[in-house]
Amino acid sequence: MEQFVVSARKYRPQTFKDVVGQQAITNTLLNAIEHNHLAQALLFTGPRGVGKTTCARIMAKMINSDGTEKEDEDFAFNIFELDAASNNSVDDIRNLTDQVRIPPQVGKYKVYIIDEVHMLSQAAFNAFLKTLEEPPKHCIFILATTEKHKIIPTILSRCQIFDFKRITVKDAKNYLQYIAQEQGIDAEDDALHIIAQKADGAMRDALSIFDRVVSFSGKNLTRQAVTENLNVLDYETYFTSTDLILENKIPELLVLFNETLSKGFDGHHYIAGLASHFRDLMVCQNEQTIELLEVGDDTKVKYMEQCRKTSYDFLLKGIELANDCDLKYKSSKNQRLLVELTLMQLASITFDGEKKNSKHYIIPASYFKKKGITPVPVTLPKQEEIVSTPAVAEPAQIIAEPKKTEIPNPYSQQSTPKIDLKPDANRTSGLSLKSIKAKREHLIKQMEVVIDPNDLPSDDFTPEAFSKAWETYINSLNTKGEKIMVSMLEMSKPVLKGVEIHVSFPNESLKIELERAQFPLMEHLRTTLRNFNLSLHIHVNEEIAKQYAFSSMDKYEKLKEKNPNIELLRITFGLDV
């Protein structure tokens, strides 16, 4: 049995042309070697698994090659790799500087590759500064790190810095496809795309995942096998969920979510993936942003088909609801209920049923009787018009002028319209959403009320009646425990000028407080006095404040009136006011 070599080692690039996704850096290094513009200290920085150490090894071989060596020559005597994670002391750096002085026996350069250089201690960095700044002509240092911010600035200023980027999903997928062909594996495009996405920009991680999935599925690599082995939700789950949301099928949507949980997936994972799915659908709606969709060709066709069913407003609202659920998930005590509630809200975005806010106000007739107001009756359609209409009656006509005589009850049995029950092809089921909506609109039309301002009571009243109504309101506030508002209303005596009520306060703050609380006050006064022309005018008069500014002597005299013994106390102890 032959020893298995992982793909990350077996297919490690041997030349700069084989390096995936770092064309800018490899071209720069290649030109620097050819034109002899190579710096003596280089820093390779970037995320894990993107080719930093690989490029360092390729470069170390190329600068020692002159075309006369053997093909399998690796210049092992000229390349020194140091792991700074385990060799991070000052003594390790001193040993390194002692070796630097010795010239190479084979080739032109000695190359020192220091991996994870950010792990060096502060003293080790300081001991390395002089050697790094002025190394021998035959020595080149290549530092590699994933955390450049941990390296001291004096080291950074002595190095030529190369920032490695993450491998794109497209580049990783193409390289995986090449490896699959080399190994004779039949791999679906979507399967390789999921592996590339799972790797999150690291080629080494992508190769490791590829080996694991191949061990699971053998020579036939399918999307279903990849999703099952990697424990990721398939695209089909989100496509089905979105279709159910657009069709307002809440029960089926909750059953699908339950099946997803039964497969071992987390609700947080599901709702976050649904938000990403809405984002991808929104990206598909504009030709300029389609390139931002990182999926396989087959899946891209499905996205294009489903995006035609959705609107921009729906997707924007869906992303907002899903993202809000994502933020609240960890702090929620009932996480499953939170996700289910979000799914029900998503399925209700496009629901064209009963509207909560109607442009008409529905006011029962009993309300106006209690207020002493005579509402304008609504004329119902004639019997013949109702019978001839196949589904729902036309909107009710409203009488423009109110009548002072007795108001006929529009809801009496005599005026109730009779509906023709003859079979009709256009008639809908009584259990359908359409019929419910139609009945609701019909009731709204019957209950519309128009109030003529001239019909509101405007009876005359005496100042005594006004004062009594004012005191009654203050007493009601006192009973409720609203002491602050009581003190405000007692502070200034209202002045009545016709139907205008004028109240003055010493500052703007009190004026604002009364403005906020004026509506229940005016409702009480207008209803009690039966005059809806009353209006409240609030003024600021700073002269009132002087009435409440007492001096120390004024306070003392007031206390002395209540208790004359205070004067005896002051004289006895010789106190000052």
Side-chain angles (χ1 to χ4, degrees), residues 384-404:
E384 300 80 19
E385 295 177 357
I386 298 176
V387 173
S388 61
T389 305
V392 183
E394 292 295 326
Q397 302 296 325
I398 301 175
I399 294 177
E401 295 295 332
K403 296 182 179 180
K404 300 299 183 177

Side-chain angles (χ1 to χ4, degrees), residues 15 18 260 284 303 338-339 490 532 564:
T15 63
D18 299 332
T260 304
C284 291
Y303 271 104
L338 176 65
V339 178
E490 290 179 344
F532 279 74

Side-chain angles (χ1 to χ4, degrees), residues 14-17 19 24-40 42 44 54-67 69 108-109 111 140 142 160 162:
Q14 301 300 319
T15 63
F16 281 134
K17 293 182 180 180
V19 179
I25 293 177
T26 55
N27 291 339
T28 303
L29 294 175
L30 194 60
N31 292 333
I33 294 173
E34 291 179 355
H35 297 88
N36 197 21
H37 285 176
L38 195 62
Q40 288 190 320
L42 299 94
F44 291 171
T54 298
C55 288
R57 292 177 180 176
I58 295 172
M59 179 181 166
K61 286 181 61 177
M62 287 192 65
I63 60 178
N64 282 310
S65 302
D66 57 2
E69 66 280 345
K108 298 179 181 180
Y109 297 97
V111 182
I140 291 179
I142 303 178
Q160 196 173 80
F162 292 87

Side-chain angles (χ1 to χ4, degrees), residues 73-107:
E73 179 64 50
D74 58 358
F75 298 97
F77 294 101
N78 293 46
I79 302 173
F80 303 90
E81 289 195 33
L82 180 68
D83 182 19
S86 57
N87 303 281
N88 55 6
S89 64
V90 178
D91 293 335
D92 295 322
I93 297 299
R94 286 176 181 172
N95 295 334
L96 177 64
T97 55
D98 292 340
Q99 295 178 12
V100 166
R101 300 174 185 175
I102 304 173
Q105 297 180 359
V106 181

